Amino acid sequence: MALPVLSSSAVKFRRVLAQFPQELSLAFAYGSGVFRQAGASAEHGESNMLDFVFAVDDSVAWHMTNLLKNKSHYSFLKFFGPKKITTIQRYGAGIYYNTLVPCNGRMIKYGVISTDALIEDLFHWKTLYVAGRLQKPVKILTQNENSKLQAALVSNLKSAVTAAFLMLPESFSEEDLYMQIAGLSYSGDFRMIIGEDKSKVQNIVKPNVAHFQKLYSTILQDCPQVVYKHHLGRLEASIDKSPEGQFTQLMTLPKTLQQKITALVNPPGKNRDVEEILLQVAHDPDCGFVVHQGISGIVRSSSIVQSAKTILTAGAKKSITYSMKKLYKMTKGGGLKKTS
């Protein structure tokens, strides 16, 4: 089965990477410029902005070199130097974006995150910002031999499956699972209220099921609660919804999500440990909803701060242009309905 990645991308992406400092622990491309989304033509995909994330071991050194090579990519913050840029990078989701950058005949957007911040997000879901991106299909462009990063990438995918299992009913289809996983990082994101197409999750999953299978097949094959018939393209799941089964899953969730759930359930002034609270949640018929609320709490705070940062990192003019493009895509996708 042909996978719907847009165009012969390898050369195109190599040319983009060549424009930047090469000290990258991980670089990947994502979004509608890389993977076709439902309702978009191939030509539309070719004109979409290309989105990248670069993970770097030393953010100050990387920005210093990039300022020498690509000073025009930065807003007025370039005048404050790489240390100040790195300080601003650490706020919110720990990523610094340069957006609406012309590169090799295309518009690109690229985010820079420290390797340590990325690993923390992947393991613990501190912000679920870049970790959420990596729960969906991406095009890995380069990755060094950092064993901790590799373990974190796998851990993030396993956590996504566990969280999805807790929010899904006892039986579900493979597409249901991928829809739930793809929606994790949009839960609580205020941009889904205004600024993003409401059918975004469905548009991501439906044309790219084969990519999701490639990402999750090993984890699902090793999962005792799932009969994964990959050759038939079918998944048969029977999730243990007993309090014991849910408690086991809750105990393996990322640390930040456990803390968010604890804060939601634990009344103020009561000093109970996490294990006791999660056991209570496991017995709650609304366990899946509590997990969803916890995830929404993580995403909401990081998305608000990250969006506020855009005014600084992109500058006012680019911020307005970028926001207008998002609103246009939203109206085209049916996210806003005209009133009569």
Side-chain angles (χ1 to χ4, degrees):
M1 179 181 175
L3 302 183
V5 181
L6 298 178
S7 79
S8 57
S9 56
V11 174
K12 174 175 64 181
F13 293 136
R14 271 203 303 270
R15 284 176 179 161
V16 171
L17 275 191
Q19 308 296 315
F20 296 95
Q22 296 303 294
E23 295 77 17
L24 303 170
S25 59
L26 177 72
F28 64 89
Y30 67 94
S32 57
V34 184
F35 296 93
R36 192 160 301 139
Q37 295 188 4
S41 64
E43 292 77 17
H44 180 65
E46 285 294 336
S47 65
N48 277 359
M49 184 158 61
L50 291 172
D51 298 311
F52 298 90
V53 168
F54 302 148
V56 303
D57 291 343
D58 186 335
S59 296
V60 175
W62 196 90
H63 283 298
M64 184 183 293
T65 308
N66 198 42
L67 281 164
L68 293 171
K69 289 172 71 86
N70 300 305
K71 197 169 186 176
S72 63
H73 294 183
Y74 291 81
S75 69
F76 68 93
L77 292 174
K78 59 178 168 271
F79 300 113
F80 293 93
K83 285 186 180 178
K84 183 60 71 177
I85 287 169
T86 301
T87 299
I88 290 165
Q89 178 179 304
R90 293 190 186 110
Y91 285 99
I95 187 164
Y96 185 103
Y97 271 105
N98 284 325
T99 191
L100 294 175
V101 174
C103 183
N104 299 338
R106 291 286 292 270
M107 280 293 181
I108 73 165
K109 177 179 79 176
Y110 64 93
V112 183
I113 186 170
S114 77
T115 308
D116 288 344
L118 174 58
I119 288 171
E120 185 174 19
D121 198 29
L122 292 167
F123 272 130
H124 303 306
W125 287 9
K126 186 180 178 184
T127 70
L128 246 182
Y129 200 87
V130 182
R133 298 263 183 273
L134 286 160
Q135 289 162 0
K136 297 179 274 290
V138 302
K139 181 82 172 171
I140 300 288
L141 307 177
T142 184
Q143 183 179 346
N144 68 12
E145 294 181 3
N146 182 327
S147 58
K148 191 174 182 184
L149 176 57
Q150 182 54 42
L153 288 163
V154 174
S155 173
N156 180 46
L157 297 180
K158 288 180 177 177
S159 296
V161 170
T162 302
F165 282 174
L166 283 161
M167 291 188 285
L168 285 162
E170 191 173 344
S171 297
F172 50 85
S173 70
E174 187 172 11
E175 191 172 289
D176 290 338
L177 174 63
Y178 299 146
M179 290 279 285
Q180 192 69 250
I181 289 172
L184 292 176
S185 61
Y186 296 116
S187 304
D189 190 336
F190 79 97
R191 293 170 301 177
M192 293 301 288
I193 300 168
I194 183 163
E196 288 287 6
D197 182 354
K198 297 299 182 293
S199 55
K200 189 175 181 73
V201 173
Q202 184 175 308
N203 292 347
I204 289 169
V205 173
K206 283 193 175 295
N208 293 299
V209 168
H211 287 291
F212 278 93
Q213 287 175 332
K214 189 177 177 184
L215 200 55
Y216 288 99
S217 61
T218 302
I219 291 167
L220 294 174
Q221 283 163 0
D222 293 342
C223 181
Q225 295 177 305
V226 169
V227 178
Y228 188 57
K229 299 179 178 177
H230 183 69
H231 60 292
L232 298 175
R234 194 166 73 243
L235 175 147
E236 293 177 6
S238 183
I239 302 304
D240 183 359
K241 290 291 178 179
S242 70
E244 295 77 18
Q246 295 195 138
F247 177 66
T248 301
Q249 292 178 328
L250 287 165
M251 286 298 291
T252 65
L253 289 174
K255 183 176 69 177
T256 307
L257 179 52
Q258 289 183 343
Q259 290 167 346
K260 286 285 183 185
I261 291 169
T262 301
L264 283 167
V265 175
N266 201 29
K270 279 213 170 187
N271 248 342
R272 296 187 296 162
D273 62 34
V274 172
E275 192 169 333
E276 186 185 346
I277 294 161
L278 293 182
L279 186 58
Q280 177 190 328
V281 174
H283 282 81
D284 190 332
D286 292 326
C287 174
F289 179 67
V290 176
V291 172
H292 179 267
Q293 280 187 305
I295 292 169
S296 296
I298 296 171
V299 174
R300 188 178 300 112
S301 54
S302 65
S303 68
I304 289 170
V305 179
Q306 193 62 37
S307 293
K309 262 170 64 173
T310 303
I311 299 166
L312 292 175
T313 60
K317 186 179 176 183
K318 280 188 178 181
S319 295
I320 293 166
T321 304
Y322 184 66
S323 299
M324 293 307 291
K325 283 176 182 286
K326 282 285 188 183
L327 283 169
Y328 176 73
K329 281 175 73 175
M330 180 185 177
T331 55
K332 292 292 280 185
L336 286 175
K337 290 184 172 64
K338 291 180 182 176
T339 53
S340 53

